Every structure is written in C-alpha cells, then in structure tokens.
Amino acid sequence: MAERSLIFPAEEFRTRVARLQAEMSAQDLDALFLTSAADIFYVTGFLTRFWESPARPWFVIVPASGAPVAVIPSIGAELMGRTWMTQIRTWEAPDPRDDGVSLLAETLCDLLPESARIGVPMGLETQLRMPLADYARLGERIAPRRFIDGTAAIQRVREIKSAAEIEKIRRACAIAGRAFARVPEFAGQGHPLDGIFRAFQSALLEEGADWVSYVAGASGPSGYEDVISPAGPAPLQAGDVLMLDTGAVRDGYFCDFDRNFSVGPASDPVRRTHAALWEVTEAAMALLRPGMRAHDAHRLLVEGLAARGIEAGSGRLGHGLGITLTEWPSFTPRDDTELREGMVLTLEPGAWVETADGPRRLLVHEENIVLRATGAELLSPRAPETLPELS
C-alpha cells in the first residue's frame, strides 16, 4: 500500500501504535478510546482546523492488537483516507438523535470481548471531547465492557518524541526565532501593544507557521504584572520591558518560548534579573539528565536564582511540549514525573524584579530543549545574553 500520510510516513504511526499497544499490555488494557484532537492526530496524522467547531465528535479506537479504527463524521472521510488509516467508519453528523453512538457501540462490541477494559484518558491535561450524556449512553450500550482510566498509557508514550517529531518542533522553533528577530521592525517606543501582537502574529505566518494558536506577552516599567492578559492599546514607553511569547504551529507541532526586550536602556535591576534568568537556564541545561524528576528541574532553577540574590516567580517553571502547547510534566515542587531521554521540554524560569520606587515586576525567560542521554539539546535559538534594546 502506498504511504499516504500527510505529515509522516506510515511507519512513524505504526511505531507509535506498537508502543501504545505495548503500554496497554503492561496496564492490562484491551483498547484505548481517544476523542481529543491531539490524541487522534498522534495516532492517525489527521490534521485539521475543523476541531475549532464543537458540532461534531471524532473517535479513534486503538485495540490491543491490530490496526486502529476511526469512527468519524462523514465530512472527515476524505481527509482521514489520505492518512495511513485503512479502518474508517462514518456516520452523517451532526445527528441530534444519535451522533455516532450506535456506530461507535457496534464497533467496540465487534472489536472487543465482553470482559474488555477500555482505557480512556481521564487524568490531568486530558479531556473527553464528546457529550457527557452520549458517553454515559455508550457505556450502557457496550456493557459489560467497561471504561477505565487509561491516562498513563497514552501519556507515557506521547511524552517520548521520535526523531521525526523532534525535527518538527525544531522547525517550529526556527520559524519563531526568525519572527522574534523581526520584532525591532514593528516594536518600539510609542507603538501600541495590541498592534505589536498583531504584527508579531503576521511575522510568524510570513516566516512559515501554519497557524498561530497562542501569542501572549506583556509590557510595563521594569517588567510586567502577568503574562496572560490580552494586549491593550497603551503604547510602549521608555523604561518598559516588552515580552512576547508564542506557540506557533508547523505540521501540527508547537514551539513555545518567549523573548524580552527593553524599550530604551534597561535599568540596573532589570539587567541583573535578566542576566540571572539567562545564567540559571544555561546552568539547568548543563545539569539536566534522564532519571531526574520534574521537581529537580524546578529546584535547579529556584536555587540558581536564589544563589544570585533573585526570587523566583510563582507557578511552574517549565513543562512538556509537542502536539499541544503544553504537555506533561510540569516543573513544580510536587511533580515527580521521571525525565526520560527523548522528552521535549521548556525551561521557563520567572523572577521578580525588585525596584526601589514601585511594585515589583516579573520577568520570564523560556527556551525549548530535547533531553538526550548526555543532557539537554537546545531546540529554540538561544536568547541573547544581553537584553535586546528597542528604540
């Protein structure tokens, strides 16, 4: 059969399914039932922005052996047929009386014995993308087969990236790096923040992003108050720090890193804080190894800042990255997820800028890495050691 996948050769997906099935065997699962865009893309290569519409559910079943089966609305049959998938069952959707439930129940009952344990992602950073009433109805229709928590099976496999996946993320990072290099073209004193956000998104698209799912940032004197508020029309002023953060997408894979800029000369506290963030990121990249835990990465960053007389910001200081903007694990004091070779991660230390004449402000510094056997390999173009200055 010809290799028809739009994103990767079919062998990439066969390998993923084989890894999933090995994990399912270890956890005594007879199948995985997947409903989210990321999980379905991971197994099939089915990539579309049509997920933005909540009108239709989509399903993929990965049995303990054999090929996965897609149970999808007919509008997706042509695109799914261009992937490596050969088992595709469809219904006319949306159907307010039976939106795929009967077909899905029939498929599960055909594939699986009555004693089947069907894994469904139920844990942190998962979602069930189907009506809850339909999920309950489906459970009744397939009994005595039953749904159980299958979070670990999918997460343990997805968190280790193949060489092909790493190259997709590296390419997304390169696109964002080129867009960040263009920031001085459209940002500077007197430029409104909302206009800068729009121009940055345009630059990302011009440099090769397929879409820009996430742009965040902030600006303010000697730093910023938060990093998630929408941009307003206030113009940049001398003494401000501008931060831009992006989750641009190429071939279904995200980058996620930020860059800071000083509007005019930076103050001494801003320079010291930026230097500390750069240095602790460099130190963490040198020290991280497989076998460490997520909380070890958090500790390295917090202790490194403290040794430089800088207080770390609150919240997590990094996370996984891949086919969603943020993936597990989270670099927090409580996350004991083992860091393994092949994980793609962000290092995202934040720190408070202490000023003598006003409230303290925040600076956040972020890079993307892949964890190799010998340590961290940088995927994002490294931020400059000296804070760039905008005129």
Side-chain angles (χ1 to χ4, degrees):
M1 182 184 69
E3 306 293 321
R4 299 173 294 163
S5 172
L6 300 177
I7 303 298
F8 297 109
E11 189 57 33
E12 171 79 11
F13 296 103
R14 293 190 187 102
T15 299
R16 294 179 187 184
V17 169
R19 290 176 60 217
L20 284 170
Q21 290 171 333
E23 191 68 32
M24 291 158 56
S25 176
Q27 298 186 33
D28 195 24
L29 296 175
D30 296 288
L32 281 175
F33 175 56
L34 306 176
T35 66
S36 72
D39 289 340
I40 289 176
F41 171 61
Y42 184 76
V43 169
T44 69
F46 183 74
L47 182 63
T48 174
R49 296 306 302 276
F50 204 65
W51 288 94
E52 299 293 342
S53 168
R56 297 171 178 86
W58 307 77
F59 312 110
V60 165
I61 303 160
V62 182
S65 62
V69 180
V71 181
I72 62 173
S74 58
I75 195 171
E78 198 277 335
L79 177 58
M80 186 67 80
R82 296 207 307 267
T83 72
W84 78 292
M85 296 287 289
T86 58
Q87 304 296 316
I88 304 169
R89 304 183 183 186
T90 67
W91 82 96
E92 293 297 323
D95 184 339
R97 295 169 298 179
D98 184 357
D99 213 15
V101 172
S102 293
L103 179 60
L104 189 55
E106 177 184 323
T107 302
L108 287 165
C109 291
D110 287 346
L111 288 173
L112 304 173
E114 290 189 349
S115 60
R117 291 158 42 91
I118 305 168
V120 178
M122 297 180 181
L124 293 175
E125 302 190 45
T126 70
Q127 59 177 302
L128 181 71
R129 197 183 183 279
M130 67 183 297
L132 190 57
D134 282 359
Y135 179 69
R137 192 175 303 115
L138 176 64
E140 295 171 356
R141 294 279 297 272
I142 66 171
R145 302 162 189 86
R146 58 194 177 97
F147 293 124
I148 65 171
D149 189 358
T151 304
I154 186 76
Q155 287 188 344
R156 293 294 77 78
V157 172
R158 269 185 51 193
E159 68 188 9
I160 304 300
K161 305 302 188 286
S162 69
E165 289 182 285
I166 292 166
E167 289 311 305
K168 295 293 187 186
I169 299 169
R170 193 191 307 274
R171 186 174 184 186
C173 288
I175 288 167
R178 294 194 296 269
F180 276 121
R182 293 176 53 183
V183 169
E185 299 174 12
F186 50 78
Q189 187 171 348
H191 291 247
L193 187 60
D194 54 4
I196 293 170
F197 270 44
R198 286 191 289 272
F200 183 50
Q201 292 178 74
S202 295
L204 287 161
L205 293 170
E206 290 166 4
E207 294 298 337
D210 292 330
W211 62 81
V212 184
S213 289
Y214 178 79
V215 164
S219 66
S222 297
Y224 25 89
E225 296 175 337
D226 76 89
V227 296
I228 65 170
S229 295
L236 299 184
Q237 300 179 23
D240 282 352
V241 176
L242 166 69
M243 187 274 283
L244 292 169
D245 185 5
T246 182
V249 179
R250 178 72 184 206
D251 289 338
Y253 285 80
F254 282 81
C255 65
D256 179 21
F257 62 99
D258 71 13
R259 292 294 177 259
N260 290 281
F261 304 85
S262 173
V263 183
S267 67
D268 287 342
V270 167
R271 284 199 301 269
R272 285 196 303 271
T273 306
H274 178 269
L277 289 167
W278 194 93
E279 291 167 5
V280 300
T281 301
E282 198 79 0
M285 287 193 291
L287 293 171
L288 282 177
R289 293 290 186 276
M292 298 175 74
R293 302 285 171 169
H295 57 72
D296 293 323
H298 182 273
R299 176 183 50 80
L300 288 173
L301 295 168
V302 170
E303 291 181 355
L305 288 169
R308 293 164 174 80
I310 303 293
E311 182 185 350
S314 59
R316 68 179 178 180
L317 304 183
H319 54 79
L321 175 68
I323 53 180
T324 56
L325 176 69
T326 68
E327 297 183 354
W328 51 91
S330 291
F331 292 164
T332 69
R334 296 184 177 182
D335 193 327
D336 65 354
T337 302
E338 181 182 359
L339 303 184
R340 299 191 288 156
E341 183 179 355
M343 282 184 168
V344 174
L345 305 161
T346 77
L347 293 173
E348 192 176 5
W352 294 108
V353 181
E354 300 291 348
T355 60
D357 55 354
R360 64 182 188 174
R361 296 299 185 102
L362 185 67
L363 288 186
V364 178
H365 182 87
E366 187 173 22
E367 300 287 6
N368 298 164
I369 63 169
V370 56
L371 190 59
R372 305 295 194 184
T374 54
E377 176 189 330
L378 196 63
L379 295 178
S380 51
R382 187 70 170 103
E385 187 173 0
T386 301
L387 185 64
E389 185 177 311
L390 302 173
S391 59

